[in-house]
Amino acid sequence: MKKIMLVFGTRPEAIKMCPLVNELKSRQDLQTVVCVTAQHRQMLDRVLETFHVVPDYDLNIMKNRQTLFDITTGVLNGIREVLEKERPDVVLVHGDTSTTFVTALSCFYLQIPVGHVEAGLRTYDIYSPYPEEFNREAVSIISKYNFAPTPRAAENLLREGRRAENIYITGNTVIDAMQHTVREDYTHPELEWVGKDKLIFITAHRRENLGEPMRRMFRAIRRVLDEHPECKAVYPIHMNPAVRQVAEEVFGYCKQMHIIEPIDVFDCHNFEARSFLCLTDSGGIQEECPSYGVPVLVMRDTTERPEGIDAGTLKLVGTNEEKIYKTFKLLLENKDVYDRMSHACNPYGDGNASKRIADILEGKEFSAWQPA
Ligand code: UD1
Ligand code: UDP
């Protein structure tokens, strides 16, 4: 029987890998082993509980205010023993975190084949996003199976010289995770607080935005909120203390903003679906909001998710205070501009990515996902 090990460590990896864990566990010809690095602790555990996934191994590496060195050495030191003991036929990693890169590197050292879920996303600027662009490019050199979420991602891999027979277009597993989360009858005290006002949904965490860029992003949002009493912002804040420090400084005493602890993914999708607008530097939220027809202002200079830009739902606004301020205001004040951005589309998958990946690993026929 083929032994598949999945290794992941942060919230977004878990959200996108748990549907795959559950799919693989349902296949009789595969043995599934789960190892978490716990690069994130509390935020990871919330997702594991939601999807009822109990890891076989937990490296428990998270440290407060960890550096890239801390994560790299933590994973490298912990994973070796697990890989040597289990000797899986394939190790699946996801996306572009440091857990992902270091696990793939460790598999390379032990000559264990790697399968890369969400392969081929690119900005081609190794400092943006940082360190994610380097991480995912490096994993593509190592990986044997490249599970590309979209045709664009597959094209990137082909252009870089990856072999066509090792590239599979599957759709993104986040769309699998979204199949059962949004409910018509969903309620939450924060949504009751928003009432009939416009819900502005905010998240931010990127390492390259910490400090001054984040201060500029938050100042722009604060200025617009102060001028638009019909808006209520909900901001489930990342647990990174460096993010919390800037948020407290800029949003302190802002009556139109509720900064809350991270919410469950089930709640997060329901909040997104009911939002008027989302402002974020997150990767995953750029994939989720287009399905709900919710416009997203992406507070980054680059994106590896051009599909949402082409579809018109995402707009890159960088971290310049005036640009964010003006674009945010325009969407509130110009209905035509808003309507052009707010139409539902699904450029990232059809909800069957996990099934396709499991079929490929079982050696079964599979049909590539094609966007409509
Ligand atoms: C990490 C990933 C990033 C991904 C993001 C998703 C790297 C280098 N970065 O960035 O690619 O987009 O996760 O959120 O792989 N913390 C807690 N509890 C938690 C999680 C974090 O206290 O459950 C705090 C800790 O102090 C930790 C800090 O947040 O040191 C930063 O966590 P880290 O994983 O280093 O960076 P992220 O910005 O979360
Ligand atoms: N998310 C969540 N709770 C929150 C904020 C975000 O469950 O309080 C989910 C969100 O729906 C998305 C993912 O976390 O699926 C995005 O994670 P994050 O922004 O931390 O990382 P990125 O996608 O940028 O790597």
Side-chain angles (χ1 to χ4, degrees):
M1 196 189 296
K2 216 175 191 178
K3 191 192 277 188
I4 313 290
M5 181 185 279
L6 300 95
V7 183
F8 50 92
T10 66
R11 171 175 64 191
E13 291 166 85
I15 290 171
K16 292 167 166 181
M17 288 290 251
C18 284
L20 181 55
V21 170
N22 290 330
E23 180 64 34
L24 292 173
K25 285 200 163 163
S26 75
R27 305 286 176 120
Q28 293 200 329
D29 293 339
L30 299 174
Q31 184 190 347
T32 305
V33 181
V34 175
C35 173
V36 296
T37 64
Q39 173 179 335
H40 284 172
R41 185 68 276 172
Q42 302 90 331
M43 283 159 57
L44 172 79
D45 292 344
R46 291 278 289 273
V47 183
L48 294 174
E49 276 165 35
T50 301
F51 288 91
H52 309 293
V53 169
V54 180
D56 301 287
Y57 296 94
D58 189 333
L59 307 184
N60 198 24
I61 68 157
M62 195 192 86
K63 288 184 183 165
N64 194 30
R65 290 185 184 258
Q66 61 205 2
T67 64
L68 296 178
F69 292 89
D70 294 325
I71 308 169
T72 303
T73 51
V75 177
L76 207 53
N77 290 332
I79 198 85
R80 178 180 178 175
E81 198 180 307
V82 177
L83 292 173
E84 283 181 336
K85 179 166 172 239
E86 290 288 339
R87 276 275 155 198
D89 295 293
V90 180
V91 170
L92 298 181
V93 294
H94 182 278
D96 51 23
T97 69
S98 292
T99 285
T100 310
F101 163 61
V102 181
T103 301
L105 181 69
S106 307
C107 290
F108 170 67
Y109 287 163
L110 296 172
Q111 300 192 16
I112 296 172
V114 171
H116 190 196
V117 182
E118 199 181 83
L121 275 62
R122 295 289 185 265
T123 62
Y124 293 111
D125 174 350
I126 54 164
Y127 288 105
S128 178
Y130 166 81
E132 290 84 3
E133 178 68 13
F134 165 78
N135 287 343
R136 59 194 173 213
E137 288 195 31
V139 174
S140 296
I141 299 174
I142 295 168
S143 56
K144 174 174 174 189
Y145 298 91
N146 298 280
F147 301 113
T150 65
R152 292 276 283 266
E155 280 160 27
N156 291 337
L157 293 164
L158 283 170
R159 214 179 321 110
E160 291 166 24
R162 307 289 143 233
R163 294 154 68 107
E165 63 268 32
N166 295 344
I167 301 170
Y168 307 88
I169 303 172
T170 59
N172 197 309
T173 55
V174 76
I175 309 294
D176 305 9
M178 286 164 65
Q179 296 307 300
H180 309 289
T181 47
V182 176
R183 299 221 183 112
E184 282 289 316
D185 59 351
Y186 176 83
T187 58
H188 189 284
E190 290 300 332
L191 294 181
E192 281 162 28
W193 169 67
V194 175
K196 291 200 180 338
D197 286 339
K198 289 178 174 149
L199 169 59
I200 310 297
F201 192 68
I202 294 164
T203 79
H205 73 81
R206 294 244 84 80
R207 208 169 265 265
E208 69 273 19
N209 285 343
L210 296 176
E212 202 43 46
M214 203 163 274
R215 198 167 283 115
R216 293 196 297 268
M217 287 155 48
F218 290 168
R219 270 202 303 253
I221 295 170
R222 171 87 203 235
R223 282 168 61 198
V224 177
L225 291 178
D226 286 346
E227 291 171 26
H228 282 269
E230 81 281 14
C231 290
K232 294 238 175 73
V234 177
Y235 174 10
I237 195 164
H238 194 284
M239 295 195 75
N240 190 339
V243 174
R244 291 180 173 222
Q245 199 179 318
V246 182
E248 268 160 36
E249 185 190 307
V250 180
F251 293 126
Y253 309 108
C254 177
K255 287 204 185 76
Q256 282 159 264
M257 156 86 68
H258 276 188
I259 297 182
I260 57 175
E261 287 304 313
I263 49 180
D264 194 82
V265 61
F266 168 79
D267 297 306
C268 195
H269 290 173
N270 280 282
F271 274 57
E272 287 168 16
R274 285 161 180 79
S275 294
F276 177 81
L277 178 67
C278 179
L279 289 106
T280 189
D281 63 7
S282 159
I285 289 175
Q286 293 179 55
E287 292 156 347
E288 293 163 354
C289 282
S291 310
Y292 312 125
V294 172
V296 181
L297 297 185
V298 183
M299 298 183 290
R300 295 172 45 181
D301 296 324
T302 57
T303 183
E304 56 294 283
R305 288 158 171 101
E307 297 86 354
I309 303 267
D310 292 350
T313 326
L314 312 181
K315 197 174 178 58
L316 272 184
V317 288
T319 59
N320 176 288
E321 182 175 335
E322 284 312 305
K323 174 123 193 233
I324 298 171
Y325 169 79
K326 282 188 183 141
T327 319
F328 184 4
K329 256 178 94 71
L330 184 69
L331 282 164
L332 289 168
E333 293 168 6
N334 188 323
K335 191 172 176 312
D336 290 342
V337 175
Y338 181 83
D339 288 346
R340 276 202 293 278
M341 281 185 78
S342 71
H343 53 87
C345 60
N346 210 334
Y348 298 111
D350 63 355
N352 293 313
S354 302
K355 285 196 177 69
R356 291 194 181 92
I357 295 170
D359 284 347
I360 294 158
L361 293 169
E362 276 191 322
K364 287 187 183 155
E365 285 282 309
F366 102 103
S367 52
W369 175 64
Q370 289 286 352

